[in-house]
Amino acid sequence: MSKAAGPAAGAGLLVVGDVVTDVVARHRGPLASGTDTAAVIRTLPGGAGANVACWAARWGCADVRLLGRVGADSVAWHERELVGCGVRPRLVVDPEVSTGTVICLVDGGAAAERTFLTDSGASLRLTSDDWSDALLDGVGRLHLSGYLLFSASGRALVRTALAAARARGVPVSLDPASAGFLAELGVDRFLGLVRGVEVLLPSRDEACLLTGSRDAAEAAVELSRHVPLVVAKEGADGALVAREGAVLARVPAVPATPRDTTGAGDAFTGAFLAALLAGHGPKDAAAERCAAGARAVERVGARPPADDANSAVEPVNGRPPAHDANSTVEPVNGRPPAHDENSAGTVLPG
């Protein structure tokens, strides 16, 4: 990505959100109820917040940080995968609950559409007690995963983080995350919770749900009356940029042959934020976002390829691999010790 000079160039990105383990099952044809359906199954690192952070790093942001909460069962694996993607993780270890798990059922047809079965686990137990205003030191943008809004502790954390960012003049973005969970949360409640957010990054379905409109452009325009800048993801139709009640730009999609659409929206978001931090305007940033989404759907899994060969370890028997000597955290009695000063990330006891 070519970078433009700008006031935010070189600033850090802090992502607050979910870190989960994805079990991706790619099958062809309809699921056979009550019997077997052949599939190719892989266990991979995921989570909307973690995916956004990894794609932002991949798209040129040199300082990407992630605050998330995981179980002791897989903290070392997740930390290693994040560091391998160029992210500085600050992982809080939950002493009671395992890392969240998402089963991704991916149709092996041309659209590669996916259906999620979600056990949020430790990720929805991230709280305002896990927050420190010092996390914003050197940060040019704060991004919040919408999954935080689907638990009481997460909503409290969003309020705390928004207030801290506002006090420092740090712009905040948010991805609504899930049309299904949004419907349960309620539109009015969601719009109240995102007051103070400068950039909203919904999918077409999420934008339409939040406004009651069937037209993505109308939905984006309406949402931009609540949040100053809205970038609506339209999949194969590209992206729509709306600002303060008007369509600013329509950005075409980059052609791609989908294998797995899991994490495509997260790739869009990570690349968009990296481009904004590099000094690009919203239209150019949205074009970068579409390029990242095209790259994402051509891969299996929600993350870009890790740069560190040590992080690309295949899970064994459907579980993350055992901790190895190259990792920075070693569990002791089921819980990891305080993080070593030589590590690239930080792991905290819950």
Side-chain angles (χ1 to χ4, degrees), residues 17 19 36 58 84 96 99 122 146 156-157 199 219 231 268 274 290 315 335-336 347:
V19 182
D36 295 319
R58 185 71 175 183
E96 299 175 0
T99 300
L157 172 57
V199 183
V231 185
F268 286 168
C290 288
R335 295 190 64 185
V347 176

Side-chain angles (χ1 to χ4, degrees), residues 218-256:
E218 290 180 1
V221 166
E222 177 60 29
L223 284 173
S224 72
R225 297 188 175 103
H226 298 273
V227 177
L229 181 65
V230 174
V231 185
K233 299 165 280 191
E234 295 193 280
D237 293 326
L240 254 169
V241 183
R243 174 182 277 166
E244 297 176 347
V247 172
L248 182 65
R250 296 174 185 267
V251 181
V254 174

Side-chain angles (χ1 to χ4, degrees), residues 27 30 33 77 92 115 119 139 179 196 198 202-203 213 253-254 263 270 290 326 334 336:
H27 60 93
S33 178
W77 181 58
V92 180
T115 301
D119 176 356
V139 166
E198 284 86 355
S203 68
S213 173
V254 174
C290 288
N326 294 317

Side-chain angles (χ1 to χ4, degrees), residues 2-345:
S2 60
K3 294 185 179 180
L13 170 66
L14 172 63
V15 179
V16 181
D18 42 323
V19 182
V20 306
T21 300
D22 284 345
V23 180
V24 181
R26 297 178 67 235
H27 60 93
R28 287 196 174 275
L31 295 173
S33 178
T35 186
D36 295 319
T37 300
V40 177
I41 301 174
R42 295 180 66 189
T43 302
L44 300 166
N51 297 339
V52 167
C54 290
W55 281 101
R58 185 71 175 183
W59 230 250
C61 187
D63 180 8
V64 183
R65 314 165 194 186
L66 172 71
L67 173 64
R69 192 173 183 99
V70 297
D73 54 320
S74 58
V75 58
W77 181 58
H78 278 293
E79 188 200 31
R80 185 169 63 247
E81 292 291 326
L82 289 163
V83 170
C85 282
V87 175
R88 295 168 55 193
R90 181 182 176 92
L91 301 182
V92 180
V93 181
D94 195 300
E96 299 175 0
V97 176
S98 297
T99 300
T101 301
V102 176
I103 298 175
C104 311
L105 303 177
V106 181
D107 184 347
E113 277 301 334
R114 71 274 191 264
T115 301
F116 298 140
L117 301 175
T118 302
D119 176 356
S120 297
S123 65
L124 286 191
R125 287 163 58 91
L126 198 61
T127 75
S128 53
D129 290 339
D130 300 323
W131 173 265
S132 166
D133 288 356
L135 289 167
L136 291 173
D137 292 347
V139 166
R141 285 189 172 273
L142 169 65
H143 178 72
L144 304 173
S145 169
Y147 282 107
L148 295 169
L149 300 177
F150 305 132
S151 71
S153 62
R155 290 189 288 272
L157 172 57
V158 166
R159 288 190 287 268
T160 298
L162 274 170
R166 189 179 303 117
R168 294 202 184 195
V170 175
V172 182
S173 56
L174 184 140
D175 187 326
S178 168
F181 287 162
L182 272 179
E184 295 180 19
L185 181 68
V187 172
D188 291 340
R189 195 176 186 190
F190 173 84
L191 293 176
L193 288 166
V194 300
R195 287 195 186 101
V197 168
E198 284 86 355
V199 183
L200 190 67
L201 300 138
S203 68
R204 179 185 347 205
D205 289 347
E206 292 156 2
C208 291
L209 172 65
L210 288 169
T211 60
S213 173
R214 295 184 179 182
D215 181 80
E218 290 180 1
V221 166
E222 177 60 29
L223 284 173
S224 72
R225 297 188 175 103
H226 298 273
V227 177
L229 181 65
V230 174
V231 185
K233 299 165 280 191
E234 295 193 280
D237 293 326
L240 254 169
V241 183
R243 174 182 277 166
E244 297 176 347
V247 172
L248 182 65
R250 296 174 185 267
V251 181
V254 174
T257 302
R259 295 183 66 205
D260 177 9
T261 57
T262 306
D266 303 332
F268 286 168
T269 297
F272 180 82
L273 296 174
L276 288 183
L277 282 165
H280 290 275
K283 181 178 179 180
D284 289 341
E288 295 291 346
R289 178 182 184 178
C290 288
R295 185 173 299 180
V297 300
E298 293 182 331
R299 292 178 49 79
V300 175
R303 302 267 182 94
D307 293 327
D308 182 353
N310 289 325
S311 71
V313 181
E314 280 295 318
V316 178
N317 296 329
R319 295 286 304 274
H323 187 70
D324 69 19
N326 294 317
S327 183
T328 56
V329 181
E330 188 67 45
V332 177
N333 296 327
R335 295 190 64 185
H339 192 67
D340 186 281
E341 63 180 3
N342 295 318
S343 171

